[in-house]
Amino acid sequence: MIEKKIIIHLLTNQKTLKNYLVLIAVIFTLNVVNAQTVNTNKDLLGQRNVITTAAPFLLISPDSRAAAMGDLGVATSADANSIHWNPSKLAFIEDDAGLSISAAPWLRQLVPDIWFYYMSGYKRIDDKSTVAASLRYFTLGEIQFTDAVGTPQGVAEPVEFAVDGAYARKLSNNLSLGVALRFVYSNLARGSTGISAAQIKAGLAGAGDISMTYMNDTKIGGNDFDFTIGGNISNIGNKITYTTEANRDFIPVNLRLGTFWKTQLDEYNEIGFGVDFNKLLVPTPQYTFQLDTNGNRVQDGDNNDIITGRVIDDGPLINGMLSSFGDAPGGFREELREFTISVGAEYWYAKQFALRAGYFHEAETKGARKYATFGAGLKYKVFQIDAAYLQPFTNRHPLQNTIRFSLLFDIDAFKDQK
């Protein structure tokens, strides 16, 4: 019942409009569901059964290049942001060292002080190995806490961050493997007390990624294509708890698979396109139903089974990951709906100017996120700047009407300039 404790506590202790808007961001960011949380919404069965986790900020696309291609990134060409998408790509990177910095306002249409920051960098060790590190930081702005009678209890600034380290190595001219380690800190209402008097604390987790990349070339219709196949299982780590109680929630363990193809049209023009598939390796919520005296399910006036509970597996991490491939109440069809799809394309002119576009699709029953993305990039000697814009088709999105920017720096070029 963690999410209820935090949400009710905040609802009863915040006084300004800004604080209520920040509450919306907290709810959106937390997405924590505890085992045996009751939900009588009849739309769950066969229509809506969203998988939720703690620390969902770990899945936010950190860079504008990938964001402009529908959050496509597991098999695109390597850059300083690859540690998030697929660390093993870094084994194929051409430059000796690089750095990336990104910043984006979150829920800009509601509040002005919620921001997502990301910084990453890499260094080649030799012609086969590369190391990398990154820091992501998510701040929810300031919140004025009060007690039940309105007495100020101080100002807090909920924050979440993750620190990563990664290593990638070529096993052959075409194949590489990569690993990453991650420390996760999620402080949403530390020091506050929930309705059961359990003190709320910061959530901590340790996690890791396992990834691979395969690169080769082929000829199609007389044109030469370079293609890449990538895969990454990210955030394999312990569960998070936000109270001193034993309740723990999965972090977003995620499977990402994809491919990217590119071809040189002529001396100046290059185009590439690809697709990514993502699936949370987290147990799907199960249902309990109202039964009659004969053990049959009771239905409402619209002939829908009446749901009395929504239960999430509280078993070990590995069991949860493995069961996530076959535990959907709707069977195989619902398992397929748990995959999100990203498709995107990238055009480069003279390796200096880029145009990008993409589309992200999520099933109606799993969150219904559907949006198109657009962007551009400009590369000039020591740096590259990328921009992205998102246009939602269904639900509102925290980044709509926002232009995101990322900066990449080529350390070798800096040395050459000096």
Side-chain angles (χ1 to χ4, degrees), residues 107-121:
L107 287 170
R108 180 185 177 190
Q109 306 302 309
L110 295 178
V111 287
D113 58 355
I114 300 180
W115 282 81
F116 176 79
Y117 302 97
Y118 187 78
M119 181 171 66
S120 60

Side-chain angles (χ1 to χ4, degrees), residues 17-137:
L17 175 60
K18 172 187 172 183
N19 289 337
Y20 282 109
L21 296 176
V22 172
L23 172 62
I24 296 173
V26 172
I27 297 171
F28 179 87
T29 304
L30 181 56
N31 280 328
V32 177
V33 177
N34 184 52
Q36 298 184 1
T37 297
V38 176
N39 190 328
T40 57
N41 183 354
K42 66 183 180 182
D43 289 339
L44 288 174
L45 184 61
Q47 296 185 44
R48 191 171 297 275
N49 190 15
V50 179
I51 299 175
T52 54
T53 70
F57 79 104
L58 295 173
L59 296 180
I60 296 176
S61 301
D63 63 299
S64 297
R65 180 195 177 201
M69 292 189 284
D71 297 338
L72 176 81
V74 73
T76 52
S77 58
D79 58 27
N81 297 299
S82 295
I83 188 173
H84 170 78
W85 300 102
N86 178 359
S88 66
K89 293 193 302 181
L90 290 165
F92 293 102
I93 203 162
E94 297 178 357
D95 298 324
D96 184 64
L99 179 70
S100 174
I101 301 174
S102 301
W106 198 254
L107 287 170
R108 180 185 177 190
Q109 306 302 309
L110 295 178
V111 287
D113 58 355
I114 300 180
W115 282 81
F116 176 79
Y117 302 97
Y118 187 78
M119 181 171 66
S120 60
Y122 68 90
K123 178 68 174 69
R124 291 191 62 86
I125 301 175
D126 52 40
D127 61 346
K128 291 185 177 181
S129 303
T130 304
V131 293
S134 70
L135 168 66
R136 65 178 61 224
Y137 187 85

Side-chain angles (χ1 to χ4, degrees), residues 188-201:
L188 297 178
R190 183 178 180 182
S192 302
T193 303
I195 57 177
S196 65
Q199 187 179 41
I200 298 171
K201 64 179 183 179

Side-chain angles (χ1 to χ4, degrees), residues 86-92 128 168-178 211-215 229 231:
N86 178 359
S88 66
K89 293 193 302 181
L90 290 165
F92 293 102
K128 291 185 177 181
R169 182 174 179 81
K170 287 183 183 178
L171 300 184
S172 68
N173 291 333
N174 305 104
L175 179 66
S176 69
L177 296 180
S211 58
M212 60 78 61
T213 299
Y214 177 79
M215 301 181 67
I229 299 172

Side-chain angles (χ1 to χ4, degrees), residues 177-247:
L177 296 180
V179 294
L181 295 177
R182 179 169 302 110
F183 171 74
V184 181
Y185 176 85
S186 179
N187 181 4
L188 297 178
R190 183 178 180 182
S192 302
T193 303
I195 57 177
S196 65
Q199 187 179 41
I200 298 171
K201 64 179 183 179
L204 303 176
D209 300 356
I210 302 174
S211 58
M212 60 78 61
T213 299
Y214 177 79
M215 301 181 67
N216 213 327
D217 59 78
T218 187
K219 188 180 289 290
I220 301 178
N223 295 320
D224 293 322
F225 282 84
D226 295 325
F227 69 90
T228 303
I229 299 172
N232 184 22
I233 302 178
S234 59
N235 303 317
I236 307 171
N238 63 280
K239 298 178 183 179
I240 278 184
T241 179
Y242 290 95
T243 72
T244 54
E245 299 174 349
N247 298 323

